[in-house]
Amino acid sequence: MANLSPELNVRLQRLIPKLSSEATGEVIATVDAIKRTLDKAGLDLHDLAARLSEVPRPVHPNNQSLHEHPDLLMMASWLLANSFSRLTYREISFVQNVKQTLTKGRPLSPRQTSWLRDLFIAQKANYND
């Protein structure tokens, strides 16, 4: 898929907020304007949707997720430092991905959180034996 040019980005940034209008006619006109703008660039709405899904979320060093769950990052770090040889390849990959996700300030899913806690508890119990 072609990249969106800076000019195209600016035009779409001006048009997209108009989609929230209460006036149905304005919304329809805006959709038509977006389609024309994309068409001129050789793109369509599917290309725009695909491009938007590729855009990474901004990463901020002070992101809330890291501050809300420092214990999760500590668990991942401890597992990699102290239980690396006792973890399966799948568990190592999981913990490395979790650590990277948390370091970037992104939250874990409830299932990821649960698995990380379970691994930590099990490995910590084995470590103290």
Side-chain angles (χ1 to χ4, degrees):
M1 193 200 104
N3 283 332
L4 300 180
S5 68
E7 297 83 20
L8 183 59
N9 279 336
V10 169
R11 293 188 76 185
L12 291 172
Q13 287 173 359
R14 290 182 187 151
L15 289 170
I16 289 174
K18 294 180 181 182
L19 293 171
S20 66
S21 173
E22 303 260 338
T24 306
E26 185 176 358
V27 172
I28 292 170
T30 302
V31 170
D32 288 339
I34 291 170
K35 289 167 101 177
R36 281 192 310 274
T37 301
L38 290 169
D39 188 52
K40 286 180 186 176
L43 304 169
D44 62 17
L45 290 172
H46 296 283
D47 295 319
L48 177 60
R51 178 66 176 100
L52 291 174
S53 68
E54 294 173 2
V55 177
R57 292 185 216 156
V59 175
H60 302 286
N62 296 326
N63 192 297
Q64 285 289 91
S65 176
L66 187 56
H67 296 293
E68 290 172 2
H69 303 291
D71 56 321
L72 297 177
L73 183 57
M74 181 276 306
M75 287 180 201
S77 298
W78 187 91
L79 285 165
L80 292 173
N82 298 296
S83 296
F84 194 85
S85 63
R86 293 189 309 245
L87 297 174
T88 66
Y89 176 77
R90 182 172 176 239
E91 291 168 338
I92 292 168
S93 295
F94 167 73
V95 175
Q96 287 172 332
N97 287 334
V98 161
K99 186 174 179 185
Q100 183 178 13
T101 298
L102 291 169
T103 302
K104 289 182 179 180
R106 297 182 182 151
L108 299 181
S109 73
R111 287 183 64 190
Q112 289 173 316
T113 301
S114 178
W115 189 16
L116 180 64
R117 287 185 195 279
D118 291 346
L119 275 174
F120 179 75
I121 290 167
Q123 292 300 322
K124 190 78 166 166
N126 290 338
Y127 187 76
N128 292 333
D129 290 341

